[in-house]
């Protein structure tokens, strides 16, 4: 499983998908011609399943996760965005060292913006919850990633519902799963997605819809609400309906110490286009002091007709420099009726610039 340390993940996200990216400015404050910003995150990871009730799960996986992003300000009102990832595209079945690596493009879209409104279209991720990205630690996002809406072809409109600070933003998206050549990967192929593969949202037209409402309360609290409908794919019995709600809280205790909190729940009816409903809960906290971050997450995944899955994880991160972060984590997972103990290590280096 690929994971990224929280600081690296947040920096990359802000540099790539901020709805109103910074424009090149002239001395008079206007647009001063095309410009570009790039970002690169290079990560070395190790997941060691040191003990499990399933002996086949006791393995060591060493792999890289490399993410590259580019945002081009083509005009005062238009930006072009791309994001590519190199990582394992298959789950390990035995000890693995830098194997099963595939390079793929997960975002390639344009954004038109006017004042605080924006329209993004192309291959992109659709807003629905935040825990799949914002939960802290090396493994905090593992369960929430199940309901992330990524690698879609479609459009997202974002509109502020007011002019005051902290006013909510409404995002409306229409989309369908990417089945172009970009759904495959170079190196280890993950296979281009086909219509016959089925799956909720894998439709011929953008008949899938998502609504997201996000806002702030004061300077420390943010909240998110979302609804979605993913139409049944070929061979699927039902459409999937989903709802999500959550909040984050950032507290500055003193100049050198902070505490961040997150809680989020998601409910999927006919999850994945099947007939079983699924409930996801994620709760986490991260305490920072100087270059150190200590975090903990508990997550639950309850799918009708299956054993309830539980995840508990603790991570310790250290910022070696402004660009390099190291982390170690312990993960206790009870999934599919099996219990596995995992030790994880990660080393992340971030780079970026503009021209």
């Amino acid at each position: 499983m690929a994971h990224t340390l929280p600081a690296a993940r947040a920096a990359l996200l802000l540099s790539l998908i901020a709805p109103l990216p910074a424009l090149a400015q002239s001395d008079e404050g206007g647009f001063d011609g095309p410009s570009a910003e790039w970002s690169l995150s290079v990560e070395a990871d190790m997941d060691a399943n040191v003990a499990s009730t399933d002996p086949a799960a006791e393995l060591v996986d060493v792999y890289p996760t490399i993410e590259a992003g580019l945002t081009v300000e083509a005009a005062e009102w238009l930006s072009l965005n791309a994001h590519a990832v190199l990582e394992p595209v298959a789950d390990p079945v035995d000890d693995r060292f830098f194997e099963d690596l595939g390079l793929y493009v997960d975002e390639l879209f344009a954004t038109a913006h006017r004042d605080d409104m924006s329209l993004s279209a192309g291959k992109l991720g659709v807003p629905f919850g935040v825990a799949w990205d914002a939960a802290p630690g090396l493994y905090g996002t593992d369960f929430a990633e199940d309901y992330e809406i990524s690698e879609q072809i479609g459009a997202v409109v974002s509109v502020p519902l007011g002019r005051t600070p902290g006013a909510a933003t409404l995002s409306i998206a229409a989309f369908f799963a990417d089945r172009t050549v970009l759904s495959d990967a170079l190196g280890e192929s993950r296979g281009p997605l086909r219509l016959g593969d089925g799956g909720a949202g894998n439709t011929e037209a953008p008949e899938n819809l998502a609504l997201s409402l996000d806002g702030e309360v004061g300077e420390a609290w943010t909240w998110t609400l979302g609804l979605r409908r993913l139409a049944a794919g070929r061979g699927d019995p039902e459409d999937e309906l989903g709802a999500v709600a959550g909040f984050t809280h950032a507290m500055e205790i003193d100049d050198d110490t902070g505490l961040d909190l997150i809680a989020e729940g998601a409910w999927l009816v006919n999850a994945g286009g099947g007939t079983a409903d699924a409930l996801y809960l994620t709760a986490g906290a991260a305490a920072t002091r100087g270059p150190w971050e200590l975090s903990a997450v508990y997550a639950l995944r309850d799918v009708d007709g299956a054993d309830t899955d539980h995840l508990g994880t603790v991570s310790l991160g250290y910022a070696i420099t402004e660009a390099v972060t190291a982390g170690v984590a312990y993960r206790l997972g009870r999934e599919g009726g099996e219990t596995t103990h995992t030790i994880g290590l990660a080393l992340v280096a971030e780079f970026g610039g503009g021209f």
Side-chain angles (χ1 to χ4, degrees):
M1 67 189 70
H3 47 66
T4 307
L5 293 175
R9 208 168 46 228
L12 188 64
L13 184 70
L14 289 173
S15 67
L16 294 178
I17 62 172
L20 296 176
L23 298 174
Q25 301 289 324
S26 68
D27 293 339
E28 289 75 27
F31 182 67
D32 197 26
S35 64
E37 293 184 358
W38 61 272
S39 62
L40 178 66
S41 173
V42 180
E43 180 172 345
D45 300 297
M46 184 193 76
D47 300 325
N49 295 340
V50 294
S52 177
T53 54
D54 176 12
E58 295 179 356
L59 53 83
V60 176
D61 188 15
V62 180
Y63 57 93
T65 304
I66 301 175
E67 301 185 49
L70 179 67
T71 296
V72 176
E73 294 298 334
E76 186 173 3
W77 56 273
L78 177 66
S79 64
L80 308 175
N81 309 271
H83 184 222
V85 181
L86 175 70
E87 65 179 2
V89 295
D91 293 330
V93 295
D94 204 342
D95 289 346
R96 183 171 68 174
F97 184 79
F98 281 61
E99 299 175 23
D100 300 324
L101 300 179
L103 174 66
Y104 61 92
V105 175
D106 71 331
E107 290 185 324
L108 186 62
F109 65 95
T111 297
H113 40 79
R114 180 184 177 89
D115 297 326
D116 292 331
M117 300 174 56
S118 67
L119 168 63
S120 297
K123 178 173 182 177
L124 38 67
V126 173
F128 185 79
V130 299
W132 50 265
D133 178 77
L138 272 63
Y139 301 110
T141 64
D142 281 5
F143 283 6
E145 286 174 345
D146 286 359
Y147 58 83
E148 177 187 3
I149 311 176
S150 61
E151 298 197 63
Q152 304 294 307
I153 301 293
V156 180
V157 178
S158 295
V159 182
L161 303 182
R163 296 286 184 178
T164 60
T169 297
L170 174 65
S171 297
I172 304 172
F175 54 93
F176 60 104
D178 176 30
R179 291 191 306 276
T180 70
V181 66
L182 297 182
S183 66
D184 202 351
L186 294 175
E188 183 71 18
S189 174
R190 56 182 186 170
L193 184 65
R194 306 295 187 189
L195 193 63
D197 294 333
N202 185 11
T203 55
E204 294 187 80
E207 55 188 286
N208 309 287
L209 300 173
L211 303 178
S212 181
L213 191 63
D214 303 275
E216 301 176 359
V217 179
E219 297 182 354
W221 295 87
T222 65
W223 55 267
T224 183
L225 298 171
L227 297 171
R228 79 189 198 189
R229 172 190 175 270
L230 304 183
R234 185 170 295 178
D236 297 329
E238 301 288 348
D239 296 344
E240 178 192 281
L241 302 177
V244 67
F247 74 87
T248 64
H249 178 57
M251 180 191 311
E252 184 176 315
I253 298 173
D254 57 41
D255 291 342
D256 203 39
T257 307
L259 177 65
D260 295 341
L261 305 175
I262 183 171
E264 185 170 284
W267 175 251
L268 306 181
V269 178
N270 303 321
T275 58
D277 300 341
L279 171 68
Y280 292 85
L281 299 175
T282 302
T288 57
R289 184 169 182 81
W292 294 95
E293 179 181 277
L294 177 65
S295 66
V297 170
Y298 168 74
L300 174 145
R301 175 172 56 202
D302 187 11
V303 180
D304 289 350
D307 292 333
T308 300
D309 295 336
H310 300 271
L311 166 67
T313 181
V314 177
S315 299
L316 180 64
Y318 180 76
I320 301 171
T321 69
E322 291 185 357
V324 180
T325 306
V328 59
Y330 167 70
R331 181 188 193 275
L332 173 61
R334 182 167 179 81
E335 301 162 80
E338 304 289 351
T339 300
T340 301
H341 302 262
T342 303
I343 300 298
L345 300 173
L347 181 66
V348 182
E350 292 183 280
F351 311 93
F355 53 90

